[in-house]
Amino acid sequence: FGALIVEDIVAIILLVLLSTIAVSQKFAGTEALFSIAKLAFFLTLWFVAGIFFLPTILRKIQKHLNDEMLLITSLALCLLMVLLAVQVGFSPALGAFVMGSILAETTLGERIEHLTKSVKELFGAVFFVSVGMMIDPAMLVKYAGPIAIITLVTIVGKTFGTFTGALVSGQSLKTSVQGGMSLAQIGEFSFIIATLGVTLGVTSNFLYPITVAVSAVTTFTTPYMIKGSGRTYEFLNSKLPTKWTTAIARYAGSAQNISRGSSDWNVIIKSLLINTVIYSVIIVGIVMLVQRYVVPYLQPQSYTATGLILAGTLIVIMPFLWALSLRKIKPEIVGRMLLNPYYKGPFFMLQIMRLVLAAVFVGFVINSLLGYVWAVAALLVMITVLLVFRNKLQRVSEWIENQFFRNFNYKEENGMEEEKDKILNTAPWDAHFTSFNIDVYFPGIGQTLYEMKLRERFGINIAAIKRGGVRINTPQRDERIYPGDKLFVIGTDEQVEAFSSFLQKDDRDVTKQALNEQNVTLQQLTVSKTSPLVGKSIKESAIRERTHGLIVGIERHGERILNPESHVVIEADDVIWIAGHKNRILVFMKEL
């Protein structure tokens, strides 16, 4: 899904670039870079402003929002963002995607999704019906050759390209194969690009039905490729030389270590870059709003009104100017880094560059309203204000930043607490989720879960592995452990204590906390007398394979079987506890 989203964003950039090339008949590098910079600017501005304001507003008025009002409000916000996106030269799809992403991060996200489901299905049906009506069978027969060639190139090319890219980026062989075979199709943006070519007169009319036909064929083949990706991986894993598979696994582990093993200087540079970009975008966005919606209504001779607007603008952007120029970035790392004289000079130059950038913004604001003569004088005043009131500005800036992250993490933190309460109230034994951070001294580095036999030795189950920004839910037996992994473990106090001792608890960061995972959950399945599971062993029932989960326990006649073996036979009235993907478990239960 992440790759598909990136594809859509790249497709938007392609729309801008191809439009420019079609009109000018040449590739204008400056215009292309400007378009990309504008896209990045508005995406950052919209997400930052949306996350800061919307969740807070929705929480304030939540008690006044019935289903009808919430539905209308959500659709209005999406259409408003569509309008804004079109106004600045982007596609309506981008605007809808941005607002949908922002609303999904609010506490009302699930409720909004439920309310808009019928609207989504209505427009989805209209879209796919209209696309289907554009397929001309006569054109398919006439251009069967090009359709077959483009389809083959798409399936083979995208599969191989995604597979290669995933391997190079440090993914495992299994993930690379599954990723490649899951992305071997073209989507609705290909229709838009093909329509653009026809509209601008740079492509033939027959290209559009061919594009729709290729999309339909590749969409039809994708489920079968996804279904066969597991067998393809097993085939490759068995046929490739052992030294190749070992090298791929070692490379994946080293790539993860490289991403974590950044030096202090790299961390500082990255943090400063993020800080500079975000606050620069906010400042420029505020100035643009003032110039577009406030300045045009001023009388040219009214210096008083101009001065008031200038003062108000500077007051509003002052906390962001402070964060841009004087905010301390990673003070603990900076303190350690400055012990080395080699870094003092470069760090001092970075601080000077931050101050200069803030001064440029202040001069830009004042010059746009009063002219350059006033800009120089007012600039000195603003620098003095920044230095004199820096403590107060720091508090305001920290409040704004804390409010943003509070809104950004609100849903996740609430979901974690709800999941924790659910586990504590429903667990059939004293079992809980615990997380362990794995360092380079862990004795099982590079081994698979099957080789480590953690379940047999300690009785615990590995429910998930967090590796960098990736979370592996209910990992398979061939998944390896690498330095920096976070293991989410299910077990009793005694089992967790034994595993903790194995990890040398005094040298590691061990924290007991609820598993913060939006999809991994603990579910119970009651086996009825007529269930097809009765009389089958756990292995024969294929519960693990069909739910992608772990059977962590069975309640039978008042007794509890913790971590049952695969040969245990399921009986009527058993209560089976499964840890895994919630939706998969619910689908499995409905199919029984």
Side-chain angles (χ1 to χ4, degrees), residues 310-442:
L310 174 62
T313 304
L314 292 175
I315 290 173
V316 172
I317 68 173
M318 194 65 69
F320 306 112
L321 280 173
W322 177 90
L324 178 66
S325 57
L326 298 175
R327 179 189 178 213
K328 294 181 179 179
I329 305 294
K330 304 286 185 183
E332 67 285 351
I333 297 179
V334 171
R336 182 172 65 246
M337 189 179 66
L338 291 180
L339 295 176
N340 186 346
Y342 177 78
Y343 290 111
K344 288 185 178 180
F347 182 76
F348 179 73
M349 291 302 300
L350 285 176
Q351 295 300 104
I352 295 296
M353 291 173 62
R354 294 176 65 190
L355 291 172
V356 170
L357 183 60
V360 169
F361 278 124
V362 173
F364 167 65
V365 174
I366 300 172
N367 180 59
S368 63
L369 295 175
L370 294 178
Y372 71 92
V373 176
W374 289 91
V376 176
L379 180 59
L380 298 176
V381 176
M382 292 304 303
I383 293 175
T384 304
V385 172
L386 278 173
L387 296 175
V388 172
F389 297 99
R390 59 181 181 180
N391 291 333
K392 190 168 185 177
L393 291 173
Q394 177 180 354
R395 289 193 295 270
V396 175
S397 177
E398 289 177 349
W399 177 85
I400 294 173
E401 187 171 327
N402 291 336
Q403 181 68 20
F404 174 83
F405 283 108
R406 191 180 302 116
N407 287 342
F408 188 75
N409 298 321
Y410 186 85
K411 181 179 179 181
E412 186 177 357
E413 291 174 354
N414 275 12
M416 181 176 66
E417 291 299 322
E418 292 174 3
E419 187 67 23
K420 178 180 178 180
D421 293 339
K422 178 180 178 181
I423 292 171
L424 294 178
N425 292 331
T426 61
W429 49 78
D430 184 22
H432 48 261
F433 286 114
T434 307
S435 66
F436 294 88
N437 292 326
I438 303 300
D439 61 25
V440 295
Y441 302 106
F442 178 62

Side-chain angles (χ1 to χ4, degrees), residues 174 244 248 278 283 338 350 388 501:
K174 182 176 182 180
W244 285 23
I248 292 174
I278 291 178
I283 293 171
L338 291 180
L350 285 176
V388 172
S501 300

Side-chain angles (χ1 to χ4, degrees), residues 100-294:
S101 301
I102 295 172
L103 289 175
E105 290 302 317
T106 66
T107 53
L108 298 175
E110 294 183 1
R111 185 178 167 195
I112 292 173
E113 183 181 1
H114 173 72
L115 292 174
T116 57
K117 183 178 180 181
S118 57
V119 180
K120 178 193 71 173
E121 292 177 347
L122 171 63
F123 282 100
V126 172
F127 172 78
F128 285 109
V129 168
S130 63
V131 169
M133 292 174 65
M134 294 175 186
I135 300 179
D136 186 354
M139 296 288 286
L140 298 184
V141 175
K142 183 177 179 180
Y143 297 105
I147 291 174
I149 294 173
I150 297 175
T151 300
L152 183 63
V153 170
T154 299
I155 293 176
V156 176
K158 291 199 69 176
T159 299
F160 180 77
T162 306
F163 168 77
T164 305
L167 276 183
V168 171
S169 66
Q171 300 300 320
S172 65
L173 178 63
K174 182 176 182 180
T175 301
S176 301
V177 171
Q178 292 180 325
M181 298 185 69
S182 300
L183 294 170
Q185 73 282 321
I186 58 175
E188 71 282 355
F189 260 111
S190 59
F191 308 158
I192 302 174
I193 295 175
T195 303
L196 177 68
V198 174
T199 303
L200 295 175
V202 294
T203 59
S204 303
N205 291 330
F206 76 90
L207 181 62
Y208 187 85
I210 288 180
T211 303
V212 175
V214 172
S215 176
V217 173
T218 55
T219 301
F220 178 77
T221 58
T222 295
Y224 298 98
M225 295 191 67
I226 295 176
K227 185 177 180 180
S229 61
R231 292 192 295 271
T232 303
Y233 159 72
E234 293 173 358
F235 173 79
L236 287 176
N237 195 42
S238 62
K239 296 299 181 181
L240 289 176
T242 304
K243 61 179 181 180
W244 285 23
T245 56
T246 304
I248 292 174
R250 188 182 300 114
Y251 173 77
S254 62
Q256 298 292 339
N257 291 336
I258 290 173
S259 65
R260 299 188 200 98
S262 300
S263 66
D264 288 344
W265 181 250
N266 291 336
V267 172
I268 292 296
I269 293 295
K270 181 179 179 181
S271 301
L272 276 175
L273 183 62
I274 294 174
N275 183 82
T276 301
V277 169
I278 291 178
Y279 287 109
S280 297
V281 167
I282 294 173
I283 293 171
V284 173
I286 294 173
V287 175
M288 289 176 59
L289 287 174
V290 173
Q291 288 182 332
R292 186 177 181 88
Y293 298 105
V294 179

Side-chain angles (χ1 to χ4, degrees), residues 465-535:
I465 300 175
K466 184 177 181 181
R467 182 170 297 152
V470 178
R471 192 184 296 272
I472 305 169
N473 298 330
T474 56
Q476 301 300 312
R477 57 190 289 177
D478 57 351
E479 191 65 52
R480 297 179 184 274
I481 303 297
Y482 298 107
D485 285 353
K486 175 178 274 190
L487 304 184
F488 292 96
V489 174
I490 300 177
T492 64
D493 287 335
E494 293 77 10
Q495 294 165 346
V496 170
E497 181 65 29
F499 184 59
S500 175
S501 300
F502 172 69
L503 291 178
Q504 299 177 354
K505 185 175 66 173
D506 55 335
D507 292 331
R508 285 166 174 81
D509 175 27
V510 181
T511 58
K512 287 187 177 182
Q513 58 183 15
L515 177 58
N516 180 17
E517 170 56 51
Q518 39 190 303
N519 290 326
V520 173
T521 185
L522 195 61
Q523 295 282 327
Q524 63 175 359
L525 166 63
T526 302
V527 181
S528 64
K529 294 181 173 59
T530 58
S531 173
L533 300 177
V534 175

Side-chain angles (χ1 to χ4, degrees), residues 75-86:
L75 295 178
L77 289 171
C78 288
L79 293 174
L80 175 62
M81 186 57 74
V82 167
L83 179 62
L84 290 175
V86 172

Side-chain angles (χ1 to χ4, degrees), residues 535-546:
K536 293 183 178 179
S537 66
I538 292 177
K539 182 176 181 181
E540 294 170 341
S541 68
I543 295 177
R544 294 169 177 168
E545 292 77 7
R546 294 172 64 183

